[in-house]
Amino acid sequence: MTAVTRTIVLPVRPTPVEAALLALSRAMTRVAEERMRRRAWAVEAEPARRAGRAASQAMSADAPRYLLPR
């Protein structure tokens, strides 16, 4: 059994409810794209962040050596 669907486009303005749904859809799309963009940036920045944290921990571990009087 096959289903055939047809979309009919009429040159009319959307109703207020349809306009609100379209605006909500666009807003949610924008939010999702921004979230994906931030997640991609975080994934790209992770190796540098880990290296910076490791360097900071190494410097903290060596702090007594630098702070003790000679």
Side-chain angles (χ1 to χ4, degrees):
M1 184 198 259
T2 61
V4 177
T5 58
R6 294 182 187 195
T7 302
I8 300 172
V9 179
L10 300 174
V12 294
R13 290 186 174 196
T15 65
V17 172
E18 291 171 334
L21 288 173
L22 287 170
L24 179 63
S25 174
R26 287 187 198 112
M28 293 305 297
T29 300
R30 241 180 277 125
V31 168
E33 286 175 354
E34 183 61 29
R35 186 181 301 145
M36 287 187 293
R37 201 173 293 120
R38 273 191 249 123
R39 190 172 292 156
W41 179 84
V43 167
E44 291 173 4
E46 181 64 22
R49 193 174 67 80
R50 284 188 183 180
R53 187 186 305 152
S56 176
Q57 289 173 348
M59 288 175 64
S60 295
D62 288 344
R65 187 174 80 178
Y66 295 112
L67 297 175
L68 291 175
R70 293 182 184 197

